[in-house]
Amino acid sequence: MDSAGTLSVLNSPSEMKKVSDACRKAGRKLGFVPTMGALHQGHISLVEESVRRADVTVASVFVNPTQFGPGEDFDRYERDYKGDVEKLVRCGVNYLFYPDISDIYPDGFQTTVSVGTLGDCLCGPFRPGHFDGVATVVLKLFNIVRPDFAVFGRKDYQQLRIIQKMVRDLDMDIEIVEMPIVREPDGLAMSSRNAYLGEEQRIRATAVNKALHEVRGKFKSGCDDCKILLAEANRVLRMAQINDINYIEIRDPETLELRHRAMEGDLVALAVRVGETRLIDNIVL
Ligand code: PAF
């Protein structure tokens, strides 16, 4: 165990389990924020929420290889251990769980979670195996940390719904706390992948959130025809020369079923590529 300020860094699952057991025995409420590091303001908002609600907060940093497909950015995904530790200390996090790949996936590892139909839409078809990889690692992290609650952001909306469903389906006694998307002043949703954008791409990327607002504006002015609403969003994206659109869809916010007629509270979600960088964003009507 390595102590950085008031933050203790734990590398092995057994050390982490000991700390978590001790918290439980002492009747202390344990909050958990799983991350892949390269922490930005979006992560910080999750961590701060946990610190507000819990007696003890654990954050994890683990770039999970099983949620990256072949040719995706696992190797170049930003790693910033020192920066992450500094930010977590500043937020008042008590423990950083920082395992190696072999701690999470020891030799012979073979049991995985299969997430079912919630993983078949939106990002699912574009990232085969991604949500099974996410659910598997989150289940493992939950079993190691055994928190009372865990905090997730709505930026990864489909991930959030999948984790909530997994917790219900598998009778896990963990509350899932959801937090709003944190945005740059020009509306771009915060993401570790924004760092990949060149200057000109960064400017064009603002169209992503504008497109979602366009849908909301048109819906508020009385149009509920999803085809018309989405055509508007497509127009905004294409004007910014964002032509590589994985999807832009309106769906039920809980079941993620596709809508033809939009309703108040529906999810509008999109994934696009700006250059090589894949960006996702969403808004609720
Ligand atoms: O949202 C993320 O950063 C990751 O998908 C998560 C939940 C930490 C699992 O690796």
Side-chain angles (χ1 to χ4, degrees), residues 34-36 43 60 62 64 67 77 130 134 137-138 141 152 156 159:
T35 81
M36 297 206 298
H43 299 111
S60 63
F62 178 65
N64 173 37
Q67 67 188 77
Y77 197 87
H130 168 70
V134 169
V137 81
V138 170
L141 291 169
F152 288 83
D156 294 300
Q159 164 174 289

Side-chain angles (χ1 to χ4, degrees), residues 210-237 248-251 259-264 266-268 270 285:
K210 284 195 192 116
L212 295 172
H213 275 278
E214 200 67 30
V215 174
R216 182 147 73 185
K218 215 168 168 57
F219 174 73
K220 297 272 181 224
S221 66
C223 174
D224 68 351
D225 184 328
C226 292
K227 260 203 191 129
I228 297 174
L229 292 170
L230 296 175
E232 201 54 37
N234 267 284
R235 187 185 58 76
V236 174
L237 291 170
I248 169 151
E249 292 174 350
I250 302 179
R251 291 187 172 262
R259 292 274 200 239
H260 299 290
R261 294 269 163 206
M263 294 199 266
E264 184 106 13
D266 275 357
L267 172 76
V268 190
L270 63 72
L285 290 179

